Amino acid sequence: MADIGDVSAGKVLVFTFTLPRACSKTDDKIGHDQGLAPVDIARAMATNGSKGKGGKLLILPGDHIGPEVVHEALKVLDIIEESTGAKFERDFDLCGGCSLDKHKDSVTEEVLKKSEEADAVFFGSAGGPEWGHSQPNPESGLLRIRLRMQIFANLRPCNFVSKSLMHRSPIKEEIIKGVDFMLIRENCGGAYYGNKIEEEDYGCDPWEYKRSEIERVVRVAGALAMQHDPPLPVWSADKANVLASSRVWRRITHEVFEKEFPKVTLKDQLADSLAMLLITKPTAFNGIIVTDNTFGDILSDESGGLTGSLGLLPSASLAGAPAAPGTEPTQGRNNAGGVRGLYEPVHGSAPDISGRGLANPAAQVLSLAMMLRYSFNMHREADIVEEAVAKVLDSKQDGGLEVRTGDLGGKAGSREMSEAIQGEVRRLLKG
């Protein structure tokens, strides 16, 4: 996954200007439970299948293994279209190093406009050593798309797709077993944006947040928590002991939850201690963690390491809170009735295995599942895709197919693993 920090830290770009706060507009309030009680939500989840009608999809495969894994993931989408009758209008374009090669820019204005008009963007990967000294760098294209789409909430699930892969975690099994939380990172504010100063002997990044920026991202956490029965607990991570922006963050977060999500248990956790506790007691934070851009950057990478393979980690960047099944979002709504978003795997472009048919397509396929759920309200199909990936990865001893790529200790190539997932999706859709 492209890291905004790599762009704003000046590794390639030197910031002597102001980055636009395109995501800092005052936003409409999101209802805390979308009008459904938890029991109603559970009932809707059980019945909301095969109702999606599809929508407008912008596909940006990107660089190196990006096109390979995107190609395999779209085969799964083909199967879902055939089974459900949903139709996705697919528009392919360039972002990243491939765009630099053709247009001398990491993303063109035409693609930025397309991203605004799409119901969802499906992204592969960006970057590679051949563009190491390019200005702008390949990853900056993704940053500009985030800004243009106003996708302020980045969601990264932390759990084991397959119980059979728990041994791959660097954490002892008795500690990591059962870990299951969603980390929500504020994606368009904080220290990575605003007026930056970079001089020979002095540098400064403003770590600032407006009320509207804090309210909208913590509402995403509250809305997701309320889609469970009972509501999931939420931890807000900050550094209120030393940072003024964190003290404002904590105060406003409590105001939002007390007023809009009174049934949700909200807890505060200092970000540095959370970083330690995610290693020693990760299951203690099962539920939802919400935090700002900088802490989210660090904690999301740490949580990604808990499961032992980046090849299994999907992500979503959303323009509003996902609506409960049977309802529609009140902010960031797309023309398909879901929430506007960009979906991508956490892993990078992996140039070392590019073109060799070795890339693990699972994270891209799981990102597709998140897209079906959040942007197109196809909850049953999303569940089926995730179940199919788990079945393929599970050991034969656990009743699975045990088809795995090299990063998971297996011998399968991209196509073999993809075909196994496709087969399971077909089987489950017929069930």
Side-chain angles (χ1 to χ4, degrees):
M1 180 176 179
D3 191 333
I4 310 176
D6 290 345
V7 177
S8 58
K11 292 181 179 179
V12 176
L13 300 177
V14 177
F15 285 97
T16 56
F17 55 89
T18 301
L19 276 172
R21 297 183 66 85
C23 296
S24 61
K25 296 179 181 179
T26 301
D27 299 291
D28 295 334
K29 177 184 171 185
I30 301 174
H32 72 277
D33 63 0
Q34 308 293 342
L36 289 179
V39 67
D40 297 322
I41 293 169
R43 186 179 299 115
M45 285 182 174
T47 59
N48 188 34
S50 302
K51 294 181 181 179
K53 295 181 180 179
K56 191 173 184 179
L57 188 58
L58 175 61
I59 302 167
L60 303 173
D63 306 320
H64 289 295
I65 68 166
E68 300 173 38
V69 291
V70 166
H71 177 69
E72 299 302 335
L74 291 178
K75 293 178 183 178
V76 175
L77 189 62
D78 292 339
I79 296 168
I80 290 170
E81 283 185 320
E82 294 170 6
S83 174
T84 64
K87 297 298 180 183
F88 292 89
E89 178 186 336
R90 308 181 194 189
D91 184 6
F92 291 79
D93 220 311
L94 304 178
C95 180
C98 54
S99 181
L100 280 168
D101 288 345
K102 185 171 183 178
H103 303 294
K104 301 190 183 305
D105 198 356
S106 56
V107 65
T108 64
E109 178 61 26
E110 181 183 2
V111 172
L112 290 172
K113 289 179 179 178
K114 286 182 179 182
S115 70
E116 289 182 288
E117 297 167 356
D119 295 315
V121 176
F122 196 51
F123 190 84
S125 59
E130 59 267 56
W131 303 289
H133 299 288
S134 299
Q135 294 190 21
N137 64 10
E139 295 82 359
S140 66
L142 182 57
L143 172 62
R144 290 160 64 189
I145 290 174
R146 289 174 181 169
L147 286 167
R148 185 64 70 90
M149 292 181 69
Q150 299 192 33
I151 43 178
F152 59 83
N154 178 254
L155 279 61
R156 284 198 193 179
C158 179
N159 53 41
F160 285 96
V161 179
S162 166
K163 59 185 178 182
S164 302
L165 295 177
M166 209 173 302
H167 68 281
R168 298 195 63 82
S169 171
I171 309 299
K172 292 180 179 179
E173 184 171 337
E174 59 267 28
I175 295 175
I176 198 67
K177 185 177 181 180
V179 67
D180 188 7
F181 62 81
M182 178 73 78
L183 194 144
I184 302 176
R185 166 188 175 184
E186 197 289 319
N187 216 25
C188 290
Y192 293 174
Y193 293 86
N195 295 314
K196 294 178 177 292
I197 301 173
E198 184 172 332
E199 300 173 353
E200 184 176 353
D201 300 312
Y202 176 78
C204 180
D205 299 286
W207 199 324
E208 58 186 9
Y209 273 104
K210 296 180 180 180
R211 171 179 287 274
S212 59
E213 294 173 313
I214 299 168
E215 288 178 337
R216 65 184 182 179
V217 73
V218 300
R219 283 177 179 142
V220 172
L224 285 175
M226 286 298 296
Q227 291 181 18
H228 294 261
D229 186 13
L232 294 176
V234 174
W235 284 266
S236 175
D238 59 38
K239 282 290 289 180
N241 55 336
V242 292
L243 295 177
S245 61
S246 278
R247 288 190 287 274
V248 173
W249 177 284
R250 181 176 291 195
R251 174 172 53 80
I252 292 174
T253 298
H254 276 267
E255 290 174 2
V256 170
F257 273 77
E258 288 169 7
K259 183 178 180 180
E260 302 177 28
F261 307 100
K263 296 180 180 180
V264 177
T265 300
L266 174 66
K267 302 178 183 180
D268 300 308
Q269 186 70 47
L270 293 176
D272 51 351
S273 65
L274 177 58
M276 177 191 69
L277 292 169
L278 285 180
I279 300 297
T280 59
K281 298 178 181 179
T283 58
F285 297 93
N286 281 358
I288 297 172
I289 299 170
V290 62
T291 189
D292 79 358
N293 208 341
T294 302
F295 298 137
D297 190 358
I298 298 166
L299 293 170
S300 60
D301 280 358
E302 181 186 10
S303 64
L306 294 178
T307 57
S309 176
L310 291 178
L312 297 176
L313 300 177
S315 76
S317 292
L318 305 179
T327 68
E328 293 187 353
T330 58
Q331 180 192 25
R333 183 186 182 280
N334 62 24
N335 291 326
V339 66
R340 195 168 59 251
L342 181 147
Y343 303 85
E344 59 176 321
V346 171
H347 63 67
S349 62
D352 56 320
I353 61 170
S354 175
R356 298 169 59 190
L358 301 176
N360 184 348
Q364 193 77 54
V365 173
L366 292 170
S367 297
L368 177 74
M370 295 184 80
M371 182 182 76
L372 292 171
R373 179 177 292 117
Y374 296 141
S375 284
F376 298 106
N377 294 324
M378 300 180 73
H379 297 269
R380 173 177 175 266
E381 290 73 21
D383 291 343
I384 282 174
V385 171
E386 291 168 349
E387 185 178 345
V389 173
K391 179 75 171 182
V392 169
L393 294 173
D394 280 347
S395 67
K396 293 179 180 178
Q397 183 179 354
D398 289 331
L401 303 182
E402 202 169 337
V403 179
R404 303 170 185 171
T405 45
D407 60 310
L408 301 175
K411 297 181 179 180
S414 305
R415 180 178 296 180
E416 182 181 352
M417 188 168 177
S418 173
E419 289 176 350
I421 294 171
Q422 293 168 48
E424 283 303 303
V425 170
R426 283 194 182 94
R427 182 183 68 82
L428 291 167
L429 284 169
K430 292 177 181 178

